[in-house]
Amino acid sequence: MSKSPVRTQAKGAGGVSEGRDSAMGEQAASRPKKATNRPVAAQSGSAGTKAPKVPKTGKAAKAAKTVQAKGAVKATKAAEASKGADGARANRVARAAKPESHLAMVRRARRINRELAELYPYAHPELDFRNPFELLVATVLSAQTTDLRVNQTTPAVFAAYPTPEDMAAAVPEELEEIVRPTGFFRAKAKSLIGLSAAIRDNFGGEVPGRLSDLVTLPGVGRKTANVVLGNAFGVPGITVDTHFGRLVRRWKWTEQEDPEKVEAEIGAIFPKSEWTMLSHRVIFHGRRICHARKPACGACPIAPLCPAYGEGETDLEKARKLLKYEMGGQPGQRLNPPADYPGKPAPGPGGS
């Protein structure tokens, strides 16, 4: 696992790093001394103490030069040690100033993916579901709300409407009332009834397992379709949600804002077999460490690979307080998480 990142160095005007011992003003020029015929002895230690004369030739001169050289090496090492994290940060800034080739970016991106795989070996979709229909419904409900809120809402939804046929026949006002906690409940209820009717009428009551079919359903776009395909049918797909798009731009994997263009560019970086788990890992990292407003840079294991290191809190102890879910000792988002999830289950309906 990568080492914790170092502290950032203070920057002066124009982004130029300043050392802690930088001169902040001009020194007044010394008044010229009167010429004298007597030689001036070099001083060392207290004022007025004459330094011993160094022989110019012979063995004594050679020995003196050796002592001076060793002293210079010790002084250099002491100075370097005193710089500590600031010196390392300066090296990082110097490397970052060089433009990164596409090949170098791809190698860095794949290394980040490997690091995330070690950090989150238990990464998974954070929506509770038991079959493709439940995952489809939960994903539609997850728009503009948290997975936790969806997971606290869907038990009542599936108790009332366990199949597409049941939901297609739902009274809109009754379904709206059940999904109200997820927000935008009227639009979501309309989409759920519409997609359920389409599944019943066009696909024999079974959720289709092809992207081209899924996106024909009301309220279903590429993101929702990829979630369902990747996690209910085992078909690789990249899920470009808010967290995924934010992180891949922060990591300079792409500059695209359009989700479909992001999906295409990231898909070209990684093998297709990695797409689904890559999505889970990136989203996990965005929810736990690499937050939108205040990322926990100081506690991030992939900070040495991140070109945006320093945008968030770099102090280790302060950064640790920003960690969420199992990373911060808090419950997760699923009421029924996978067996290998190391955190606590989320509180049920009515919980906070």
Side-chain angles (χ1 to χ4, degrees):
M1 192 62 60
S2 305
K3 296 182 180 178
S4 297
V6 296
R7 299 177 185 268
T8 54
Q9 185 178 23
K11 294 184 178 181
V16 179
S17 299
E18 295 180 344
R20 286 175 290 182
D21 298 327
S22 298
M24 300 304 291
E26 297 181 359
Q27 296 180 350
S30 300
R31 184 175 301 172
K33 296 181 180 180
K34 294 182 180 180
T36 175
N37 293 330
R38 291 184 299 176
V40 179
Q43 295 183 353
S44 68
S46 60
T49 303
K50 295 182 179 181
K53 294 182 179 180
V54 178
K56 295 183 180 180
T57 59
K59 293 183 179 181
K62 187 175 181 180
K65 289 181 180 179
T66 300
V67 171
Q68 290 176 347
K70 290 182 178 179
V73 171
K74 289 182 180 181
T76 300
K77 290 183 177 179
E80 290 176 351
S82 68
K83 291 180 181 179
D86 289 343
R89 174 59 179 167
N91 291 335
R92 183 196 298 274
V93 172
R95 289 195 301 269
K98 298 179 181 179
E100 185 179 45
S101 68
H102 179 74
L103 178 59
M105 181 276 291
V106 170
R107 288 173 174 170
R108 179 172 58 83
R110 292 181 176 182
R111 184 177 174 189
I112 287 177
N113 183 40
R114 292 194 297 270
E115 296 278 353
L116 293 178
E118 293 184 13
L119 185 61
Y120 308 111
Y122 49 84
H124 58 269
E126 294 191 273
L127 292 169
D128 285 326
F129 69 97
R130 294 169 295 184
N131 54 59
F133 178 65
E134 290 189 356
L135 179 57
L136 177 60
V137 170
T139 306
V140 170
L141 290 176
S142 69
Q144 303 298 315
T145 190
T146 64
D147 287 355
L148 172 60
R149 181 64 62 195
V150 173
N151 293 333
Q152 292 173 332
T153 303
T154 49
V157 174
F158 300 135
Y161 313 104
T163 68
E165 291 81 3
D166 295 322
M167 190 167 287
V171 176
E173 292 76 15
E174 294 178 359
L175 180 56
E176 289 172 6
E177 190 60 31
I178 297 176
V179 302
R180 180 187 288 269
T182 67
F184 302 96
F185 56 93
R186 290 190 179 90
K188 290 179 179 179
K190 182 179 180 181
S191 293
L192 293 181
I193 293 174
L195 69 83
S196 297
I199 292 172
R200 178 196 63 193
D201 298 339
N202 302 330
F203 300 101
E206 299 291 335
V207 175
R210 296 192 305 176
L211 178 66
S212 58
D213 292 333
L214 282 168
V215 296
T216 66
L217 303 177
V220 177
R222 288 184 66 91
K223 183 195 83 170
T224 298
N226 280 329
V227 170
V228 173
L229 290 173
N231 299 285
F233 293 99
V235 178
I238 294 176
T239 303
V240 184
D241 73 346
T242 302
H243 300 287
F244 189 93
R246 172 169 53 80
L247 264 62
V248 296
R249 285 187 289 271
R250 181 173 277 174
W251 292 335
K252 307 299 182 186
W253 293 1
T254 181
E255 295 180 354
Q256 299 293 340
E257 296 284 343
D258 180 80
E260 289 193 26
K261 293 181 179 178
V262 171
E263 181 185 341
E265 291 198 2
I266 303 305
I269 296 174
F270 297 93
K272 192 172 183 178
S273 59
E274 283 288 309
W275 288 358
T276 299
M277 287 308 301
L278 169 72
S279 301
H280 292 325
R281 294 164 190 155
V282 173
I283 293 170
F284 255 60
H285 196 65
R287 287 174 170 171
R288 286 150 176 78
I289 297 178
C290 198
H291 313 305
R293 295 184 180 179
K294 198 170 184 181
C297 295
C300 179
I302 65 167
L305 301 171
C306 180
Y309 172 76
E311 287 185 4
E313 180 58 64
T314 57
D315 180 82
L316 176 58
E317 294 305 317
K318 292 180 179 179
R320 282 176 175 167
K321 295 179 181 179
L322 300 175
L323 303 180
K324 293 184 178 181
Y325 303 113
E326 75 282 356
M327 288 293 181
Q330 306 156 5
Q333 296 204 77
R334 291 189 65 165
L335 279 62
N336 300 295
D340 63 344
Y341 180 63
K344 303 174 183 177
S352 56

